[in-house]
Amino acid sequence: MDRHLHLLKARLFPASITRPQSAFTFDILDNFLIDALECKTSAMSFYQKLRHFSNNAFPHKIPDCYCELMQVSCIWRDLMNRIWFGFGHEMDRSPGPGDLALYCPTCPQPSINLPLSWKDSYDDWLVMQRYVVDGNFTVQHMKMKTPEDDVLLVDGKGYMVTEGPYETHITESKSSCSNHRAMNAANVHSALIIYDVSCQWSIHFHEQFHLSAHKLPCFARFSLNFITGAGHVDGEILETLWAPFNKISPTVRSMTLSHRKEVLDDHMRDSNWRKLVGIGKSPLLQKC
């Protein structure tokens, strides 16, 4: 049996397949992923912690395996996500676009929480899609020196979009507004777009909606309180995602583009899972 398979059977993940010289325990890799999510720990800080655990007096004498940790942790994260979403043991089926993202159980979904005859049973405003849009300009990315060396493991399979179609869309849909750094909307019908900057959206939408807090003259016309079907919606829900993103912004700023996508996907997946398991604690559901 190959050496790397012997190591895997011993719950050791090798840094190389051909001639492995170093390996990480499964527990260490799990701890790193949890540390990154909960404590926003960078790979460098986590590895320095391991060196202190090994030799607190002379941590510099511990061999430097930081690069190996970076490589193995990326593969480990991808493997764990594939297992969690049902792709870990099926060699003939690979995840497609969005297959590694959590499905929202509260959004209107025919045959799941809507009957197949929903178009005849409900008014359009009751089941229309609601999109909350916002931009985060803190989690910026440095230009890569050698982008040709970048390796994508999950391009478009999680929450971040596929690179090729996204670049094409940006090229073909350049903004006509010089006052705001926001992108144009795709053509979507029967949707409520909630954004605190709306001048962009008039390009593709007959009507535009944004938060009442933008400026006072907009309140009567655009407030969600006066829009049929809007209901009581948290129009700033994305701010709850920006908070953890801003904490990891110094770390992801200098990552490769693919690694950055994987880390951001991981934090979005964790955020959505927390919301998913917390839905049952809603006072409205408890009263039902």
Side-chain angles (χ1 to χ4, degrees):
M1 184 181 293
D2 294 334
R3 293 180 63 186
H4 70 281
L5 296 180
H6 280 295
L7 291 172
L8 290 172
K9 283 183 174 294
R11 296 181 61 82
L12 295 171
F13 201 100
S16 173
I17 294 179
T18 53
R19 292 185 299 170
Q21 301 294 317
S22 57
F24 298 86
T25 66
F26 290 4
D27 289 338
I28 283 292
L29 295 174
D30 284 337
N31 286 335
F32 171 61
L33 295 186
I34 294 176
D35 257 23
L37 291 175
E38 290 293 338
C39 307
K40 317 306 177 192
T41 307
S42 66
M44 174 60 75
S45 297
F46 183 80
Y47 189 72
Q48 292 299 336
K49 182 175 71 172
L50 294 181
R51 300 178 89 173
H52 277 279
F53 277 139
S54 301
N55 190 338
N56 193 34
F58 305 101
H60 61 280
K61 292 187 176 182
I62 303 299
D64 186 2
C65 295
Y66 168 70
C67 292
E68 289 85 345
L69 174 64
M70 290 286 292
Q71 177 180 343
V72 170
S73 63
C74 288
I75 300 174
W76 184 259
R77 179 187 292 110
D78 182 48
L79 289 176
M80 290 299 101
N81 287 331
R82 290 171 185 263
I83 291 174
W84 292 334
F85 284 90
F87 296 95
H89 305 287
E90 296 187 20
M91 302 299 294
D92 58 339
R93 190 168 69 100
S94 299
D99 282 346
L100 299 183
L102 288 171
Y103 213 45
C104 177
T106 60
C107 293
Q109 301 168 30
S111 76
I112 296 179
N113 53 16
L114 282 178
L116 294 177
S117 60
W118 63 272
K119 291 184 178 180
D120 301 324
S121 304
Y122 300 98
D123 295 330
D124 289 342
W125 64 266
L126 188 60
V127 293
M128 69 178 173
Q129 295 288 333
R130 297 166 177 82
Y131 297 93
V132 177
V133 185
D134 200 8
N136 186 316
F137 304 113
T138 301
V139 189
Q140 298 177 351
H141 187 232
M142 295 175 60
K143 186 177 181 180
M144 295 175 56
K145 292 183 179 180
T146 55
E148 61 276 4
D149 295 336
D150 203 10
V151 178
L152 293 167
L153 296 179
V154 288
D155 187 22
K157 294 178 174 60
Y159 296 95
M160 304 294 285
V161 297
T162 307
E163 185 68 18
Y166 174 73
E167 292 293 341
T168 302
H169 171 74
I170 296 301
T171 302
E172 296 177 353
S173 305
K174 288 296 184 180
S175 169
S176 64
C177 173
S178 59
N179 296 324
H180 304 291
R181 294 178 296 174
M183 294 301 162
N184 296 320
N187 291 309
V188 179
H189 301 284
S190 299
L192 175 62
I193 306 298
I194 306 172
Y195 193 15
D196 52 2
V197 178
S198 66
C199 59
Q200 288 290 93
W201 309 100
S202 60
I203 299 175
H204 292 293
F205 285 84
H206 296 297
E207 293 185 60
Q208 50 189 338
F209 310 94
H210 65 98
L211 299 178
S212 58
H214 189 210
K215 55 184 179 179
L216 186 59
C218 299
F219 178 80
R221 183 179 179 186
F222 297 115
S223 172
L224 297 176
N225 295 327
F226 308 135
I227 297 177
T228 303
H232 290 280
V233 182
D234 184 359
E236 293 285 0
I237 189 63
L238 279 177
E239 295 294 341
T240 63
L241 182 62
W242 296 162
F245 268 28
N246 292 343
K247 292 180 181 179
I248 64 172
S249 60
T251 303
V252 301
R253 176 179 174 82
S254 56
M255 290 180 178
T256 65
L257 185 60
S258 60
H259 189 199
R260 176 176 179 268
K261 286 185 174 183
E262 294 162 9
V263 172
L264 294 180
D265 264 346
D266 223 25
H267 281 78
M268 284 187 277
R269 191 178 296 110
D270 181 66
S271 175
N272 283 358
W273 175 254
R274 293 171 185 268
K275 295 173 185 176
L276 178 63
V277 298
I279 287 177
K281 299 179 181 180
S282 170
L284 292 176
L285 292 180
Q286 292 175 1
K287 292 180 181 179
C288 295

